[in-house]
Amino acid sequence: MKPKMYLQSLIGISTLFIACNRVSAQYNYLVESDYPALYDNGTHDESLTIAREGDRVRHYRWGVFEVPPVDVPATDSKGAVVKKVDAKGAMAPSVSNERWEVFASAYWFTQKVDQQLTRWIPESDVDMWSLNAGARYRINDSWSVGGQVGFNDANIDMKVNGFKFAKTEVDTWAFTPFVNFEQKNLVAGADFEAQLQYTYGSSHYENNIIGFTGNRSGYSNTVELTTGLVWTSGDLHHGPVLGGRYTEAHINAFTLGGFPFTASNFESLASILGYELSYDIKVGGGKIVPAVSATWEHEYRANYHNVVAGVPNSTTAKDTAVLGAGVGWYGNCGWNVVLDYEARLNSVSNSNFVGLKVGKSF
């Protein structure tokens, strides 16, 4: 055989051998995959997402999004302005004491997570919608308190190498009390804003793994503190934000198709750093407030399967860019409507949030 023909034959045989090995490895991987471990890690990852997104308190985090009570002059039955005086004969302020707001919101959230076999995490797609309702009470110029209850429904598809091996539907009820503090002109002419909120979520999981079905339950606790400084220049408001979020969650044990799934506890700790700005546009009957934000989150997550040891106690870190934009209409009548969009982007996942909030002050 000529040297050239011999070389071509050798290359052809080698290429065929490598291709067969790859196909065999792919087949063996699908057959021998530890699907319970993959599902467990996928569930952990998405349960943290549901805990974070499940009961968002919108537009009470920073003064950059806040519009103070509207000045409403008192009028008589004919519509004429009435000049009020206090007990000492001085002019009384014409600000209506609108201490309450009731509100409702709805949102849609989607997330895609890439396959990460080095950490035994499958590819997953999440679609979630939520309805929330709550109220806030302004105690004084500095303090306000409120609460919100919400329900969300999430559908999760999990894949490995393109093979869809699990589908889960998660229904969650969540309750969030929160408290706000504001101090005017605290630092270099900037107002200080802070919000502390706690969320308890109770979840029900309907699982389908390779054709086997079963149910289990879980819960989560999330504490989030966000602070910020807001400078005001005319109608422009802007400033930095700094905060942290801690989430711990539990998923109960169950058995599915002969596979035992033990109870799982996992947690997440994230720091938040960013900047926000908004601009007031006065219109007839109120104002329109467009706003944008950019934040960076550094997050530690615990309790993932370790591929080498097979022990679910490893820790991972992740950095996420969070970009937001929104616009709100705040009417002198006390009604407000706010539309929001947010994107979360990192090296292994991306998500999109669209929310609509309607509120009434009185």
Side-chain angles (χ1 to χ4, degrees):
M1 181 181 293
K2 295 181 179 180
K4 185 176 181 180
M5 295 179 60
Y6 176 80
L7 180 60
Q8 290 175 342
S9 299
L10 181 61
I11 292 174
I13 294 173
S14 299
T15 302
L16 180 62
F17 178 74
I18 293 172
C20 290
N21 276 342
R22 287 185 176 179
V23 171
S24 176
Q26 181 88 343
Y27 174 79
N28 290 334
Y29 177 81
L30 290 174
V31 172
E32 299 173 1
S33 286
D34 185 357
Y35 286 115
L38 286 164
Y39 173 77
D40 238 7
N41 277 344
T43 303
H44 289 180
D45 195 67
E46 305 311 344
S47 294
L48 286 173
T49 296
I50 293 170
R52 184 189 68 236
E53 303 293 336
D55 204 25
R56 286 195 180 198
V57 177
R58 304 300 297 170
H59 308 293
Y60 291 119
R61 298 187 176 180
W62 306 286
V64 72
F65 287 108
E66 185 89 15
V67 175
V70 179
D71 291 351
V72 180
T75 59
D76 59 19
S77 59
K78 297 182 180 180
V81 175
V82 177
K83 295 182 179 180
K84 295 184 177 181
V85 296
D86 59 20
K88 298 181 180 179
M91 288 295 299
S94 61
V95 178
S96 61
N97 194 18
E98 296 179 341
R99 294 187 177 274
W100 284 95
E101 184 197 20
V102 293
F103 56 88
S105 65
Y107 73 77
W108 173 73
F109 175 87
T110 181
Q111 176 173 277
K112 181 176 178 61
V113 179
D114 296 335
Q115 181 173 290
Q116 305 158 70
L117 295 182
T118 56
R119 289 192 283 129
W120 219 236
I121 298 174
E123 174 188 339
S124 63
D125 295 293
V126 181
D127 287 295
M128 178 165 58
W129 61 266
S130 178
L131 297 174
N132 304 283
R136 186 179 74 146
Y137 177 72
R138 183 186 293 275
I139 300 173
N140 52 41
D141 289 342
S142 296
W143 293 94
S144 61
V145 296
Q148 175 176 293
V149 63
F151 173 81
N152 66 75
D153 177 85
N155 289 285
I156 306 169
D157 290 333
M158 298 183 193
K159 302 177 183 178
V160 57
N161 289 356
F163 173 67
K164 179 179 168 182
F165 71 92
K167 180 179 179 64
T168 303
E169 182 176 350
V170 188
D171 294 332
T172 302
W173 284 96
F175 173 68
T176 301
F178 58 91
V179 58
N180 292 88
F181 175 77
E182 178 181 355
Q183 180 63 54
K184 296 292 186 181
N185 196 22
L186 181 65
V187 179
D191 300 336
F192 173 76
E193 299 278 342
Q195 174 170 297
L196 176 64
Q197 66 183 65
Y198 162 75
T199 299
Y200 173 79
S202 177
S203 299
H204 174 75
Y205 297 78
E206 294 184 3
N207 312 280
N208 186 319
I209 307 176
I210 321 179
F212 297 100
T213 59
N215 301 326
R216 63 174 170 172
S217 59
Y219 64 84
S220 63
N221 295 281
T222 302
V223 178
E224 183 169 340
L225 174 64
T226 308
T227 64
L229 294 174
V230 182
W231 282 275
T232 298
S233 177
D235 293 322
L236 177 66
H237 312 276
H238 64 95
V241 294
L242 176 66
R245 181 181 64 248
Y246 173 76
T247 301
E248 66 91 16
H250 175 85
I251 301 179
N252 295 329
F254 81 126
T255 301
L256 184 67
F259 290 104
F261 291 80
T262 60
S264 301
N265 293 284
F266 51 98
E267 57 189 353
S268 164
L269 178 63
S271 60
I272 302 168
L273 177 64
Y275 208 88
E276 299 195 337
L277 62 87
S278 69
Y279 189 81
D280 297 344
I281 303 173
K282 295 179 176 62
V283 296
K287 62 176 68 176
I288 295 175
V289 184
V292 294
S293 64
T295 59
W296 170 68
E297 291 188 8
H298 182 71
E299 181 180 26
Y300 289 97
R301 296 184 176 188
N303 284 21
Y304 280 101
H305 282 279
N306 184 291
V307 175
V308 177
V311 179
N313 61 0
S314 61
T315 300
T316 63
K318 183 170 66 175
D319 293 313
T320 300
V322 185
L323 307 176
V327 61
W329 172 78
Y330 300 86
N332 294 337
C333 57
W335 284 96
N336 63 81
V337 180
V338 183
L339 178 66
D340 269 321
Y341 170 77
E342 182 181 281
R344 298 177 59 87
L345 309 170
N346 57 58
S347 60
V348 297
S349 69
N350 61 80
S351 64
N352 295 276
F353 168 97
V354 179
L356 177 68
K357 175 232 175 187
V358 178
K360 178 67 168 70
S361 298
F362 57 92

